[in-house]
Coordinates of all heavy atoms in Angstrom, one line a residue:
M1 N -10.3 -9.7 -0.8 CA -9.2 -9.1 0.0 C -9.4 -9.5 1.4 O -10.5 -9.4 2.0 CB -9.2 -7.6 -0.2 CG -8.0 -7.0 0.6 SD -7.8 -5.2 0.3 CE -9.1 -4.5 1.3
K2 N -8.4 -9.9 2.1 CA -8.4 -10.4 3.4 C -8.1 -9.4 4.5 O -8.3 -9.5 5.7 CB -7.4 -11.6 3.6 CG -7.6 -12.7 2.7 CD -8.3 -13.9 3.3 CE -8.5 -15.0 2.3 NZ -9.5 -15.9 2.6
A3 N -7.5 -8.2 4.0 CA -7.2 -7.2 5.0 C -8.4 -6.5 5.5 O -9.5 -6.6 4.9 CB -6.2 -6.1 4.3
D4 N -8.3 -5.7 6.6 CA -9.4 -4.9 7.1 C -9.8 -3.9 6.2 O -9.2 -2.8 6.0 CB -8.9 -4.3 8.5 CG -10.0 -3.6 9.2 OD1 -10.9 -3.0 8.5 OD2 -10.0 -3.5 10.4
K5 N -10.9 -4.1 5.4 CA -11.4 -3.2 4.4 C -11.6 -1.8 4.9 O -11.3 -0.8 4.2 CB -12.6 -3.8 3.6 CG -12.3 -4.9 2.8 CD -13.5 -5.5 2.1 CE -13.2 -6.7 1.4 NZ -14.3 -7.4 0.7
D6 N -12.2 -1.6 6.0 CA -12.5 -0.3 6.5 C -11.3 0.5 6.7 O -11.2 1.6 6.5 CB -13.4 -0.5 7.8 CG -14.8 -0.9 7.5 OD1 -15.3 -0.8 6.4 OD2 -15.4 -1.5 8.5
R7 N -10.3 -0.1 7.5 CA -9.1 0.5 7.8 C -8.3 0.9 6.4 O -7.8 2.0 6.3 CB -8.2 -0.3 8.7 CG -7.0 0.4 9.1 CD -6.1 -0.2 10.2 NE -6.1 -1.7 10.1 CZ -6.3 -2.5 11.1 NH1 -6.6 -2.1 12.2 NH2 -6.2 -3.8 10.8
V8 N -8.3 0.0 5.6 CA -7.6 0.2 4.3 C -8.2 1.3 3.6 O -7.6 2.2 3.0 CB -7.5 -1.1 3.4 CG1 -7.0 -0.8 2.1 CG2 -6.5 -2.1 4.2
T9 N -9.6 1.3 3.5 CA -10.3 2.3 2.8 C -10.1 3.7 3.4 O -9.8 4.6 2.7 CB -11.8 2.0 2.8 OG1 -12.0 0.7 2.1 CG2 -12.6 3.1 2.1
R10 N -10.1 3.9 4.7 CA -9.8 5.1 5.3 C -8.4 5.5 5.0 O -8.3 6.8 4.7 CB -10.0 4.9 6.9 CG -11.4 5.1 7.4 CD -11.5 5.3 8.9 NE -10.7 4.2 9.6 CZ -11.2 3.0 10.0 NH1 -12.5 2.6 9.7 NH2 -10.4 2.1 10.7
S11 N -7.6 4.7 5.1 CA -6.1 5.2 4.9 C -5.9 5.7 3.4 O -5.3 6.6 3.1 CB -5.2 4.0 5.1 OG -5.1 3.7 6.5
I12 N -6.6 4.9 2.5 CA -6.5 5.3 1.0 C -7.2 6.7 0.8 O -6.7 7.5 0.1 CB -7.1 4.1 0.1 CG1 -6.2 2.9 0.2 CG2 -7.3 4.7 -1.3 CD1 -4.8 3.1 -0.3
K13 N -8.3 6.9 1.4 CA -8.9 8.2 1.4 C -8.1 9.3 1.9 O -8.1 10.4 1.3 CB -10.3 8.1 2.0 CG -11.3 7.2 1.1 CD -12.7 7.2 1.8 CE -13.7 6.5 1.0 NZ -15.0 6.4 1.6
I14 N -7.4 9.0 3.0 CA -6.6 10.0 3.6 C -5.4 10.3 2.6 O -5.1 11.4 2.3 CB -5.9 9.6 5.0 CG1 -7.1 9.6 6.0 CG2 -4.7 10.5 5.4 CD1 -6.7 8.8 7.3
A15 N -4.8 9.3 2.0 CA -3.7 9.5 1.0 C -4.3 10.3 -0.2 O -3.6 11.2 -0.6 CB -3.2 8.1 0.6
R16 N -5.5 10.0 -0.6 CA -6.1 10.7 -1.8 C -6.3 12.2 -1.4 O -6.0 13.0 -2.2 CB -7.4 10.1 -2.2 CG -8.1 10.8 -3.3 CD -9.4 10.1 -3.7 NE -10.4 10.1 -2.7 CZ -11.5 9.5 -2.8 NH1 -11.8 8.7 -3.8 NH2 -12.3 9.4 -1.7
G17 N -6.8 12.5 -0.1 CA -6.8 13.8 0.2 C -5.5 14.5 0.3 O -5.4 15.7 0.0
Q18 N -4.5 13.8 0.7 CA -3.2 14.4 0.8 C -2.7 14.7 -0.6 O -2.1 15.7 -0.9 CB -2.1 13.5 1.5 CG -2.3 13.5 3.0 CD -1.3 12.6 3.7 OE1 -1.1 11.5 3.4 NE2 -0.7 13.2 4.7
L19 N -2.9 13.8 -1.5 CA -2.5 14.0 -3.0 C -3.2 15.3 -3.5 O -2.6 16.1 -4.2 CB -2.9 12.8 -3.8 CG -1.9 11.7 -3.7 CD1 -2.4 10.5 -4.4 CD2 -0.6 12.0 -4.1
D20 N -4.6 15.4 -3.1 CA -5.3 16.7 -3.6 C -4.6 17.9 -3.0 O -4.4 18.9 -3.7 CB -6.7 16.7 -3.2 CG -7.5 15.6 -4.0 OD1 -7.0 15.2 -5.1 OD2 -8.5 15.1 -3.4
G21 N -4.2 17.8 -1.8 CA -3.4 18.9 -1.1 C -2.0 19.2 -1.7 O -1.8 20.3 -2.0
I22 N -1.4 18.1 -2.1 CA -0.1 18.3 -2.8 C -0.3 19.1 -4.2 O 0.4 19.9 -4.5 CB 0.6 17.0 -3.0 CG1 1.1 16.5 -1.7 CG2 1.7 17.1 -3.9 CD1 1.4 15.0 -1.6
L23 N -1.3 18.7 -4.9 CA -1.7 19.2 -6.1 C -2.0 20.8 -6.0 O -1.4 21.6 -6.8 CB -2.8 18.7 -6.9 CG -2.5 17.3 -7.5 CD1 -3.8 16.5 -8.0 CD2 -1.6 17.5 -8.7
R24 N -2.7 21.1 -4.9 CA -2.9 22.5 -4.6 C -1.6 23.3 -4.3 O -1.4 24.4 -4.7 CB -4.0 22.6 -3.5 CG -5.4 22.4 -3.9 CD -6.4 22.8 -2.7 NE -6.2 22.2 -1.5 CZ -6.7 20.9 -1.3 NH1 -7.4 20.3 -2.2 NH2 -6.5 20.3 -0.1
M25 N -0.8 22.6 -3.5 CA 0.5 23.2 -3.1 C 1.3 23.5 -4.4 O 1.9 24.6 -4.5 CB 1.3 22.3 -2.2 CG 0.6 22.2 -0.8 SD 1.5 21.0 0.2 CE 3.0 21.9 0.7
I26 N 1.4 22.6 -5.4 CA 2.0 22.8 -6.5 C 1.5 24.0 -7.4 O 2.2 24.8 -7.8 CB 2.1 21.5 -7.5 CG1 2.9 20.4 -6.7 CG2 2.6 21.8 -8.8 CD1 2.8 19.0 -7.2
E27 N 0.1 24.0 -7.5 CA -0.5 25.1 -8.2 C -0.3 26.4 -7.5 O -0.2 27.4 -8.3 CB -2.1 24.8 -8.2 CG -2.4 23.6 -9.2 CD -3.9 23.1 -9.0 OE1 -4.5 23.6 -8.1 OE2 -4.2 22.2 -9.7
E28 N -0.2 26.4 -6.2 CA 0.1 27.6 -5.5 C 1.6 28.0 -5.4 O 1.9 29.0 -4.8 CB -0.5 27.6 -4.1 CG -2.0 27.4 -4.1 CD -2.6 27.0 -2.7 OE1 -1.7 26.9 -1.7 OE2 -3.7 26.9 -2.6
D29 N 2.3 27.2 -6.1 CA 3.9 27.5 -6.1 C 4.4 27.5 -4.7 O 5.2 28.5 -4.4 CB 4.2 28.7 -6.9 CG 5.6 28.7 -7.4 OD1 6.1 27.6 -7.6 OD2 6.2 29.8 -7.6
R30 N 4.0 26.5 -3.8 CA 4.5 26.6 -2.5 C 6.0 26.1 -2.4 O 6.5 25.5 -3.4 CB 3.6 25.6 -1.6 CG 2.1 26.0 -1.6 CD 1.8 27.0 -0.5 NE 2.0 26.4 0.9 CZ 1.2 25.7 1.5 NH1 0.1 25.4 1.1 NH2 1.5 25.3 2.7
Y31 N 6.5 26.2 -1.3 CA 7.9 25.9 -1.0 C 8.1 24.4 -1.2 O 7.4 23.5 -0.8 CB 8.2 26.2 0.4 CG 9.7 26.1 0.8 CD1 10.7 26.7 0.1 CD2 10.0 25.4 1.9 CE1 12.0 26.6 0.5 CE2 11.4 25.2 2.3 CZ 12.4 25.8 1.5 OH 13.7 25.8 1.9
C32 N 9.2 24.1 -2.1 CA 9.5 22.7 -2.5 C 9.6 21.8 -1.4 O 9.2 20.7 -1.5 CB 10.8 22.8 -3.3 SG 10.7 23.7 -4.9
V33 N 10.3 22.2 -0.3 CA 10.6 21.2 0.8 C 9.2 20.8 1.4 O 9.0 19.7 1.9 CB 11.5 21.8 1.8 CG1 11.6 21.0 3.0 CG2 12.9 22.0 1.2
D34 N 8.3 21.9 1.6 CA 7.0 21.5 2.1 C 6.2 20.6 1.2 O 5.6 19.6 1.7 CB 6.2 22.8 2.3 CG 6.7 23.8 3.3 OD1 7.5 23.3 4.1 OD2 6.3 25.0 3.2
I35 N 6.3 20.7 -0.1 CA 5.7 19.8 -1.0 C 6.3 18.4 -0.9 O 5.6 17.3 -0.7 CB 5.8 20.3 -2.5 CG1 5.0 21.6 -2.6 CG2 5.4 19.2 -3.5 CD1 5.3 22.2 -3.9
S36 N 7.6 18.4 -0.8 CA 8.3 17.0 -0.7 C 7.9 16.4 0.6 O 7.7 15.1 0.7 CB 9.8 17.3 -0.7 OG 10.5 16.0 -0.5
N37 N 7.8 17.1 1.8 CA 7.4 16.5 3.0 C 5.9 15.9 2.9 O 5.7 14.8 3.4 CB 7.5 17.5 4.2 CG 8.8 17.8 4.6 OD1 9.7 17.0 4.5 ND2 9.0 19.0 5.1
Q38 N 5.0 16.5 2.2 CA 3.7 16.0 2.0 C 3.7 14.7 1.2 O 3.0 13.8 1.3 CB 2.8 17.1 1.5 CG 2.5 18.2 2.4 CD 1.9 17.6 3.7 OE1 0.9 16.8 3.7 NE2 2.4 18.1 4.8
I39 N 4.6 14.8 0.1 CA 4.7 13.5 -0.7 C 5.2 12.4 0.1 O 4.7 11.3 -0.1 CB 5.7 13.9 -1.9 CG1 5.0 14.8 -2.9 CG2 6.0 12.6 -2.7 CD1 5.8 15.4 -4.0
M40 N 6.3 12.6 0.9 CA 6.7 11.6 1.8 C 5.8 11.1 2.8 O 5.7 9.8 3.0 CB 8.1 12.0 2.5 CG 9.2 12.1 1.5 SD 10.8 12.4 2.3 CE 10.6 14.1 2.8
A41 N 4.9 11.9 3.3 CA 3.9 11.5 4.2 C 2.9 10.6 3.5 O 2.4 9.6 4.1 CB 3.2 12.7 4.9
T42 N 2.5 11.0 2.3 CA 1.6 10.2 1.5 C 2.1 8.8 1.2 O 1.5 7.8 1.2 CB 1.2 10.9 0.3 OG1 0.7 12.2 0.5 CG2 0.1 10.2 -0.5
Q43 N 3.4 8.8 0.8 CA 4.1 7.6 0.5 C 4.1 6.6 1.7 O 3.9 5.4 1.6 CB 5.5 7.8 0.0 CG 5.7 8.4 -1.3 CD 7.1 8.7 -1.7 OE1 7.8 9.2 -0.8 NE2 7.4 8.5 -3.0
A44 N 4.3 7.3 2.9 CA 4.3 6.4 4.1 C 3.0 5.7 4.3 O 2.9 4.6 4.8 CB 4.7 7.3 5.3
I45 N 1.9 6.5 4.1 CA 0.6 5.9 4.3 C 0.3 4.8 3.3 O -0.1 3.7 3.7 CB -0.5 7.0 4.1 CG1 -0.5 7.9 5.3 CG2 -1.9 6.3 3.8 CD1 -1.5 9.2 5.1
L46 N 0.7 5.0 2.0 CA 0.6 3.9 1.0 C 1.4 2.8 1.3 O 1.0 1.6 1.1 CB 0.8 4.5 -0.4 CG -0.1 5.6 -0.9 CD1 0.4 6.2 -2.2 CD2 -1.5 5.0 -1.0
K47 N 2.6 3.0 1.8 CA 3.5 1.8 2.2 C 2.9 1.0 3.3 O 3.0 -0.2 3.3 CB 4.9 2.4 2.5 CG 5.9 1.3 2.9 CD 7.2 1.9 3.1 CE 8.3 0.9 3.4 NZ 9.7 1.4 3.7
K48 N 2.4 1.7 4.3 CA 1.8 1.0 5.4 C 0.6 0.2 5.0 O 0.4 -1.0 5.3 CB 1.3 2.0 6.5 CG 0.8 1.4 7.7 CD 0.4 2.5 8.7 CE -0.3 1.8 10.0 NZ -0.7 2.7 10.9
V49 N -0.3 0.7 4.1 CA -1.5 0.1 3.6 C -1.1 -1.1 2.7 O -1.6 -2.2 2.9 CB -2.4 1.0 2.8 CG1 -3.4 0.3 2.1 CG2 -3.1 2.0 3.7
N50 N 0.0 -0.9 1.9 CA 0.4 -2.0 1.0 C 0.9 -3.2 2.0 O 0.6 -4.4 1.7 CB 1.5 -1.5 0.1 CG 1.8 -2.6 -1.0 OD1 1.0 -3.3 -1.4 ND2 3.1 -2.6 -1.3
S51 N 1.7 -2.9 3.0 CA 2.2 -3.9 3.9 C 1.0 -4.6 4.6 O 1.1 -5.9 4.6 CB 3.1 -3.2 4.9 OG 3.5 -4.1 5.9
E52 N 0.0 -3.9 5.0 CA -1.2 -4.6 5.6 C -1.9 -5.5 4.7 O -2.2 -6.6 5.0 CB -2.2 -3.5 6.1 CG -3.3 -4.0 6.8 CD -4.2 -3.1 7.4 OE1 -3.8 -1.9 7.7 OE2 -5.4 -3.4 7.7
I53 N -1.9 -5.0 3.4 CA -2.6 -5.9 2.4 C -1.9 -7.2 2.1 O -2.3 -8.3 2.1 CB -2.9 -5.1 1.1 CG1 -4.1 -4.1 1.4 CG2 -3.3 -6.0 0.0 CD1 -4.3 -3.0 0.3
L54 N -0.6 -6.9 2.0 CA 0.4 -8.1 1.7 C 0.4 -9.1 2.9 O 0.5 -10.3 2.7 CB 1.7 -7.7 1.3 CG 1.8 -7.0 -0.1 CD1 3.2 -6.4 -0.4 CD2 1.4 -7.9 -1.2
H55 N 0.5 -8.6 4.1 CA 0.5 -9.4 5.3 C -0.7 -10.3 5.3 O -0.8 -11.5 5.5 CB 0.7 -8.6 6.5 CG 2.1 -8.2 6.9 ND1 2.7 -7.2 6.4 CD2 3.0 -8.9 7.6 CE1 3.9 -7.0 6.9 NE2 4.1 -8.2 7.6
A56 N -1.9 -9.6 5.1 CA -3.2 -10.4 5.1 C -3.2 -11.4 4.0 O -3.7 -12.5 4.1 CB -4.3 -9.3 4.9
H57 N -2.7 -11.1 2.8 CA -2.6 -12.0 1.7 C -1.8 -13.2 2.0 O -2.3 -14.4 1.8 CB -2.0 -11.3 0.4 CG -1.8 -12.1 -0.7 ND1 -3.0 -12.7 -1.5 CD2 -0.7 -12.6 -1.3 CE1 -2.5 -13.5 -2.4 NE2 -1.2 -13.4 -2.4
I58 N -0.6 -13.0 2.6 CA 0.3 -14.1 3.0 C -0.3 -14.9 4.0 O -0.4 -16.1 4.0 CB 1.6 -13.6 3.4 CG1 2.4 -13.0 2.1 CG2 2.4 -14.7 4.1 CD1 3.5 -12.3 2.4
R59 N -1.0 -14.3 5.1 CA -1.6 -15.1 6.2 C -2.9 -15.8 5.7 O -3.2 -16.8 6.3 CB -1.9 -14.1 7.3 CG -0.8 -13.5 8.0 CD -1.2 -12.8 9.3 NE 0.0 -12.3 10.0 CZ 0.4 -11.1 10.1 NH1 -0.3 -10.1 9.6 NH2 1.5 -10.7 10.7
G60 N -3.5 -15.3 4.7 CA -4.8 -15.8 4.3 C -4.6 -16.7 3.0 O -4.5 -17.9 3.1
C61 N -4.5 -16.0 1.9 CA -4.4 -16.7 0.6 C -3.2 -17.7 0.5 O -3.5 -18.8 0.0 CB -4.5 -15.6 -0.6 SG -5.8 -14.5 -0.6
V62 N -2.1 -17.1 0.8 CA -0.9 -18.0 0.6 C -1.0 -19.2 1.6 O -0.6 -20.3 1.2 CB 0.4 -17.2 0.8 CG1 1.6 -18.1 0.7 CG2 0.5 -16.1 -0.3
R63 N -1.4 -19.0 2.8 CA -1.5 -20.1 3.8 C -2.5 -21.1 3.2 O -2.1 -22.3 3.3 CB -2.0 -19.6 5.1 CG -2.1 -20.7 6.2 CD -2.6 -20.2 7.5 NE -1.5 -19.4 8.1 CZ -1.7 -18.4 8.9 NH1 -3.0 -18.1 9.4 NH2 -0.7 -17.8 9.5
E64 N -3.6 -20.7 2.8 CA -4.6 -21.6 2.1 C -3.9 -22.4 1.0 O -4.2 -23.6 0.9 CB -5.9 -20.9 1.6 CG -6.7 -20.4 2.8 CD -7.8 -19.4 2.4 OE1 -7.9 -19.3 1.1 OE2 -8.4 -18.8 3.2
G65 N -3.2 -21.7 0.1 CA -2.6 -22.3 -1.0 C -1.5 -23.3 -0.7 O -1.2 -24.2 -1.5
L66 N -0.8 -23.1 0.5 CA 0.2 -24.1 0.9 C -0.3 -25.3 1.5 O 0.5 -26.3 1.8 CB 1.1 -23.4 2.0 CG 2.0 -22.3 1.5 CD1 2.7 -21.5 2.5 CD2 3.0 -22.7 0.4
Q67 N -1.6 -25.5 1.6 CA -2.2 -26.6 2.2 C -2.4 -27.7 1.3 O -3.3 -28.6 1.4 CB -3.5 -26.3 3.0 CG -3.2 -25.4 4.2 CD -4.5 -25.0 5.0 OE1 -5.5 -25.2 4.5 NE2 -4.3 -24.2 6.0
T68 N -1.7 -27.7 0.2 CA -1.8 -28.7 -0.9 C -0.4 -29.1 -1.4 O 0.6 -28.2 -1.3 CB -2.7 -28.3 -2.0 OG1 -2.8 -29.3 -3.1 CG2 -2.2 -27.0 -2.6
D69 N -0.3 -30.2 -2.0 CA 1.0 -30.6 -2.5 C 1.2 -30.2 -4.1 O 2.2 -30.4 -4.6 CB 1.1 -32.1 -2.5 CG 1.3 -32.6 -1.0 OD1 1.8 -31.8 -0.2 OD2 0.8 -33.8 -0.8
E70 N 0.2 -29.6 -4.6 CA 0.2 -29.2 -5.9 C 1.0 -27.9 -6.0 O 1.2 -27.2 -5.1 CB -1.2 -28.7 -6.4 CG -2.2 -29.9 -6.4 CD -1.9 -31.1 -7.4 OE1 -1.5 -30.8 -8.5 OE2 -1.8 -32.2 -6.9
P71 N 1.5 -27.7 -7.3 CA 2.3 -26.4 -7.5 C 1.5 -25.2 -7.0 O 0.3 -25.2 -7.3 CB 2.5 -26.4 -9.0 CG 2.5 -27.7 -9.4 CD 1.5 -28.5 -8.5
N72 N 2.1 -24.2 -6.4 CA 1.3 -23.2 -5.7 C 1.5 -21.9 -6.5 O 2.4 -21.1 -6.2 CB 1.8 -23.1 -4.2 CG 0.9 -22.3 -3.5 OD1 0.4 -21.3 -4.0 ND2 0.7 -22.7 -2.2
P73 N 0.4 -21.5 -7.2 CA 0.5 -20.2 -7.9 C 0.4 -19.0 -6.9 O 1.0 -18.0 -7.1 CB -0.7 -20.1 -8.8 CG -1.7 -21.2 -8.3 CD -0.8 -22.2 -7.5
K74 N -0.2 -19.2 -5.8 CA -0.3 -18.1 -4.7 C 1.1 -17.8 -4.2 O 1.5 -16.7 -3.9 CB -1.2 -18.5 -3.6 CG -2.6 -18.6 -4.1 CD -3.2 -17.2 -4.4 CE -4.7 -17.3 -4.7 NZ -5.2 -16.0 -5.2
L75 N 1.9 -18.8 -3.9 CA 3.2 -18.7 -3.4 C 4.1 -18.0 -4.4 O 4.8 -17.0 -4.1 CB 3.9 -20.1 -3.0 CG 5.3 -19.9 -2.5 CD1 5.3 -19.1 -1.2 CD2 5.8 -21.4 -2.2
E76 N 3.9 -18.4 -5.7 CA 4.7 -17.6 -6.7 C 4.3 -16.2 -7.0 O 5.1 -15.4 -7.1 CB 4.6 -18.4 -8.1 CG 5.2 -19.8 -8.0 CD 6.7 -19.8 -7.6 OE1 7.4 -19.0 -8.1 OE2 7.1 -20.7 -6.8
E77 N 3.0 -16.0 -6.8 CA 2.5 -14.6 -6.7 C 3.0 -13.8 -5.7 O 3.4 -12.6 -5.9 CB 0.9 -14.7 -6.7 CG 0.2 -13.4 -6.8 CD -1.3 -13.6 -6.7 OE1 -1.8 -14.1 -5.6 OE2 -1.9 -13.3 -7.7
A78 N 3.1 -14.3 -4.4 CA 3.7 -13.6 -3.3 C 5.1 -13.3 -3.5 O 5.6 -12.3 -3.2 CB 3.5 -14.3 -2.0
L79 N 5.8 -14.3 -4.0 CA 7.3 -14.1 -4.3 C 7.5 -13.0 -5.4 O 8.4 -12.1 -5.2 CB 8.0 -15.4 -4.7 CG 8.0 -16.4 -3.6 CD1 8.5 -17.8 -4.2 CD2 8.9 -16.0 -2.5
A80 N 6.7 -12.9 -6.3 CA 6.8 -11.9 -7.4 C 6.5 -10.5 -6.8 O 7.2 -9.6 -7.1 CB 5.8 -12.1 -8.5
L81 N 5.5 -10.4 -5.9 CA 5.3 -9.2 -5.2 C 6.5 -8.7 -4.4 O 6.8 -7.5 -4.4 CB 4.1 -9.3 -4.3 CG 2.7 -9.3 -5.0 CD1 1.7 -9.6 -4.0 CD2 2.4 -7.9 -5.6
L82 N 7.0 -9.7 -3.7 CA 8.3 -9.3 -2.9 C 9.4 -8.8 -3.9 O 10.2 -7.9 -3.4 CB 8.8 -10.5 -2.2 CG 7.9 -10.9 -0.9 CD1 8.4 -12.1 -0.3 CD2 7.9 -9.8 0.1
D83 N 9.5 -9.4 -5.0 CA 10.5 -8.9 -6.0 C 10.3 -7.5 -6.4 O 11.3 -6.7 -6.6 CB 10.6 -9.9 -7.2 CG 11.2 -11.3 -7.0 OD1 11.9 -11.3 -5.9 OD2 11.0 -12.1 -7.7
K84 N 9.0 -7.2 -6.5 CA 8.7 -5.8 -7.0 C 9.0 -4.8 -5.9 O 9.4 -3.7 -6.1 CB 7.2 -5.8 -7.3 CG 6.8 -6.3 -8.5 CD 5.3 -6.2 -8.9 CE 4.9 -6.9 -10.1 NZ 3.4 -6.8 -10.3
L85 N 8.8 -5.2 -4.6 CA 9.1 -4.4 -3.5 C 10.6 -4.1 -3.3 O 11.1 -3.0 -2.9 CB 8.5 -5.0 -2.2 CG 7.1 -4.9 -2.0 CD1 6.7 -5.7 -0.7 CD2 6.6 -3.5 -1.9
I86 N 11.4 -5.1 -3.6 CA 12.8 -5.0 -3.5 C 13.4 -4.1 -4.6 O 14.4 -3.5 -4.3 CB 13.4 -6.5 -3.5 CG1 13.0 -7.2 -2.2 CG2 15.0 -6.3 -3.6 CD1 13.4 -8.7 -2.2
T87 N 12.9 -4.2 -5.8 CA 13.5 -3.5 -6.9 C 13.0 -2.0 -7.0 O 11.9 -1.7 -6.4 CB 13.3 -4.2 -8.2 OG1 11.9 -4.4 -8.4 CG2 14.1 -5.5 -8.3

């Protein structure tokens, strides 16, 4: 992985902590809007981390893969990821 592993790991651990908190909120029958807000906050962290990983992938792996005239599986892989993000 070409992304900053320390930053990505910290963010994922924060998201994991938020998910644990969301589970507690559900178990405690907390207010639905509060739960939803926490879910959206966790999604925002995951979206940001995913973006960082994909940017690093494109800047590193895909760039390296484009330096050849051969068919490029890294480029196809990146395009498939973009398709998943769009749908």
